[in-house]
Amino acid sequence: MKKPPVPLFQNGVRADGRAPDQMREVNITVGIVSNADGSAMVSYGATTAVAAVYGPREMHPRHLSLPDRGVMRVRYHMAPFSTKDERKSPTPTRREIEISKILREALEPAVVLEQYPRSRIDVFIEILQADGSTRVASLTAASLALADAGVYMRDLVIGVSVGLVDGAVVLDLNGLEDQYGEGDLPVGYMPNLKRFTLLQLDGAWTRDKFLEALNLAIKGAEFVYQKARDALKSKYMTIAEDIYGR
């Protein structure tokens, strides 16, 4: 394992000053892309994801449509300027294609696709800045963009990451922890239904550490969920005030 440039964990405090169970600063804005049917921007610390939703619309070509449900397509992409390394190629990488599939599968349990037979819903996700936990920030952004588009959903899907750093379970990995930590557990969680839609595991975990990580993920997801609800309310309360003057 590569040695990190700075200690990741000392005296119970992480390299960026956070406690093990503390999220980075979370900022959420809904409805930032005027050309889309729904959109959202989500930042976990220095990681920023923008999601835009188009649809539901009639599926073209029609032979790809399904008679009993809609089809959701998800594209995850990292902007060429999003990383600290050399400029990333704008061409979709194998990793981006894999994460696109993972995000679609994590979103589908929340979306009532049976309401939209022969239709398609397109979700585009762009990472503007990457500092760890990009897939889970993307998941939260995509879920909010779907809600903003008025797509019928069972619940929001909130993404958070949990990891192992110097043997400790920590919430919301930053880029340094993502690169040098001992384990990574991206999670997608529906807080109202109390169901997981995404659960990946990287690294060697004991049963106790895994259970501790799941509980910490739920705590983090409920924290972000409150922020997500506030962001949705903020947008639609403003619209209601403009229409009804109250």
Side-chain angles (χ1 to χ4, degrees), residues 28 52 68 72 91 112 131 204-205 207 240:
I28 298 175
D68 59 341
M72 186 163 59
T91 307
V112 187
D131 185 30
W205 295 71
R207 176 184 171 84

Coordinates of all heavy atoms in Angstrom, one line a residue, residues 28 52 68 72 91 112 131 204-205 207 240:
I28 N -26.6 21.8 -1.4 CA -27.5 21.2 -2.4 C -28.3 22.4 -3.0 O -28.9 23.2 -2.3 CB -28.4 20.2 -1.8 CG1 -27.6 19.0 -1.3 CG2 -29.4 19.7 -2.8 CD1 -28.4 18.0 -0.5
A52 N -28.8 16.4 -14.6 CA -29.9 16.9 -15.3 C -30.7 15.8 -15.9 O -30.2 14.8 -16.4 CB -29.4 17.8 -16.5
D68 N -44.6 -2.3 -20.7 CA -45.1 -2.3 -19.3 C -44.3 -1.3 -18.4 O -44.7 -1.2 -17.2 CB -45.1 -3.7 -18.7 CG -43.7 -4.3 -18.7 OD1 -42.8 -3.8 -19.4 OD2 -43.5 -5.2 -17.9
M72 N -34.9 3.9 -18.1 CA -34.1 4.9 -17.5 C -32.6 4.7 -18.0 O -32.1 3.6 -17.9 CB -34.1 5.0 -16.0 CG -33.4 6.2 -15.5 SD -33.8 6.6 -13.7 CE -33.4 5.1 -12.9
T91 N -13.2 11.6 -23.5 CA -13.9 10.4 -23.9 C -14.3 9.5 -22.7 O -13.5 9.4 -21.8 CB -12.9 9.5 -24.8 OG1 -12.4 10.4 -25.8 CG2 -13.5 8.3 -25.3
V112 N -40.8 4.8 -10.0 CA -41.9 4.0 -10.4 C -42.0 4.0 -11.9 O -42.8 4.6 -12.5 CB -43.2 4.5 -9.8 CG1 -44.3 3.5 -10.0 CG2 -43.0 4.7 -8.3
D131 N -13.1 15.1 -5.5 CA -12.2 15.0 -4.3 C -12.8 13.8 -3.5 O -13.0 14.0 -2.3 CB -12.2 16.3 -3.5 CG -11.2 16.2 -2.4 OD1 -10.2 15.5 -2.5 OD2 -11.5 16.9 -1.3
A204 N -10.6 -5.1 3.1 CA -10.9 -6.2 4.0 C -11.6 -5.7 5.2 O -11.0 -4.8 6.0 CB -9.6 -6.9 4.4
W205 N -12.8 -6.1 5.5 CA -13.6 -5.7 6.6 C -14.0 -6.8 7.5 O -14.3 -7.9 7.1 CB -14.9 -5.1 6.1 CG -14.8 -3.9 5.3 CD1 -14.3 -3.8 4.0 CD2 -15.2 -2.5 5.6 NE1 -14.4 -2.5 3.5 CE2 -14.9 -1.7 4.5 CE3 -15.7 -1.9 6.8 CZ2 -15.1 -0.3 4.5 CZ3 -15.9 -0.6 6.8 CH2 -15.6 0.2 5.7
R207 N -16.7 -8.4 10.4 CA -18.1 -8.2 10.5 C -18.5 -7.0 11.3 O -19.4 -6.3 11.0 CB -18.7 -9.5 11.1 CG -20.2 -9.5 11.4 CD -20.6 -10.8 12.1 NE -22.0 -10.7 12.6 CZ -23.1 -10.9 11.8 NH1 -22.9 -11.3 10.6 NH2 -24.3 -10.8 12.3
A240 N -44.2 28.8 -5.3 CA -45.6 29.0 -4.7 C -45.9 30.4 -4.3 O -46.9 31.0 -4.5 CB -45.8 28.0 -3.6

